[in-house]
Each structure stands twice: as structure tokens, then as C-alpha cells.
Amino acid sequence: MAAIDDTSEPDNPVRSTYPSLVEAAWLYQADQVCPEDLPMTAAQALAMGMDTPTLCELAGLPRHADPRDIRDTFEQALEELGIVLPDHHLARRYALRRLATRFTAGEVDLAELASDEWSEMNVETAEKQAFVALLPPCACCIEYTLGLDEAAWEAQLQIAACALVSHPTVGPRFGQKAFLVQNLGLRSRGGH
């Protein structure tokens, strides 16, 4: 998992413990996290001070445990912590934007962008459509399906990714107030 921006409210204990679990929940809902990686995410949360019985159980599961058991335990641990799983469609939008962000930051290899999973995504904006349209279905098809040389494709993809990243973000928020609103449904008295 790539690092997330958790610079808001640096002295806040919520900032330091929940982001990895909240982001894991969003990526899990977007089918971007392998079940075998979830026990390590739980172990990291325990090391950061989180502690629930199911989180401990999840951290103790081996990577080769039954994926259904890992998923069930992860979902139960999130529930115990009050972390709500987002809607699948919203989580996919977050994962696509995260992919574009990681690409613009140079954290993603061109071959990692190749996947047919995004072609089936319902895109709502021209920016998402432009980015998704440039993603080839598989790594071996890059030179055959693009009709461009790799440098031209990368330049077009960089432009599309920057356009997508420049729009309002979808996904988890990590400040204490944002965490409480998003995951616990709490609102200020003024309804904001």
C-alpha cells in the first residue's frame, strides 16, 4: 500500500491510527487489497495503539489462511472500530483517483497501469473517461492496443492523470472531525 497524506492535525491520535485502516477499507471495497495483506494491516494498526479482540485475531491470521475467513474477520474488526465500509462504486472512484495520483507522483510503473478492471467502471466525468480510455487491458497489449509509441502514451496519460487528480477528491478524510463525520455519522450542531 502506498503512503497516504495524513498531514492534517499532526498531534491527533485519530490521524495516526485510523488512516491505514480506513484506506484499507476503501481499497478493500474497491477490490484493490489482497486478503492476504489484511493481517499485516491489522498488525500495523495494533502497533499504532488500536486494540480490539477481532483486530488481534486478524493480525494473528497467517497470509495463507482462507480468504473468506480473512475478509469476515477484517469486516468485523472494522465494525468494532466504527469504521464503515464505503459503497463499492464510491470506493472504485477513490481507487481510480489514487492510481492517477500515484502515477503522477512516479510511484506506479507503466505496466502496473495495464488492467481491464477499469474499462468496466462507470465513469462520470470527462477527466475519468480520458484517463480510463488510455489504460490498456494488459501489459502485453501496451504496444499493440495503443497505436502510439510508449513516450507519447505516457505523456497523454500524464496529462489525463493530472486532470483527474486536479478535481475534488473522493475518499477517506483523516482529520478528527472528518473521521467522525465520515465513519460515525456525527455532524456539528449547525448541520455542517
Side-chain angles (χ1 to χ4, degrees):
M1 246 160 63
I4 54 174
D5 178 18
D6 61 354
T7 56
S8 64
E9 304 180 39
D11 296 327
N12 185 336
V14 171
R15 180 195 70 84
S16 63
T17 55
Y18 279 94
S20 63
L21 286 174
V22 173
E23 183 176 46
W26 280 75
L27 295 174
Y28 170 81
Q29 279 296 90
D31 303 319
Q32 298 296 302
V33 174
C34 297
E36 61 266 15
D37 294 335
L38 294 173
M40 182 55 74
T41 300
Q44 290 168 345
L46 287 170
M48 295 163 93
M50 302 299 302
D51 190 18
T52 70
T54 307
L55 192 62
C56 292
E57 179 185 343
L58 178 60
L61 290 175
R63 287 181 57 86
H64 63 291
D66 185 331
R68 292 172 298 205
D69 292 339
I70 293 174
R71 285 186 196 98
D72 291 345
T73 307
F74 178 67
E75 290 177 15
Q76 184 178 347
L78 292 177
E79 186 176 317
E80 287 177 3
L81 292 165
I83 298 173
V84 178
L85 286 170
D87 171 73
H88 178 75
H89 177 69
L90 193 60
R92 297 281 294 160
R93 287 176 44 205
Y94 168 71
L96 181 67
R97 188 176 191 287
R98 181 177 179 271
L99 178 66
T101 301
R102 291 181 62 225
F103 176 69
T104 60
E107 298 173 4
V108 177
D109 186 298
L110 291 176
E112 291 178 63
L113 296 172
S115 172
D116 63 351
E117 71 179 290
W118 301 112
S119 64
E120 298 174 12
M121 184 175 175
N122 181 18
V123 292
E124 303 86 9
T125 67
E127 293 79 16
K128 286 180 191 166
Q129 178 58 43
F131 184 68
V132 169
L134 289 167
L135 299 177
C138 66
C140 64
C141 295
I142 289 176
E143 68 182 78
Y144 299 111
T145 61
L146 297 175
L148 304 170
D149 64 55
E150 194 170 299
W153 171 62
E154 185 174 1
Q156 288 180 352
L157 194 57
Q158 192 68 249
I159 291 167
C162 286
L164 176 55
V165 170
S166 70
H167 278 73
T169 186
V170 169
R173 306 282 189 265
F174 298 119
Q176 182 177 17
K177 181 178 178 183
F179 171 81
L180 294 173
V181 169
Q182 181 174 346
N183 290 294
L184 302 177
L186 302 177
R187 302 263 189 252
S188 66
R189 290 184 191 157
H192 300 120

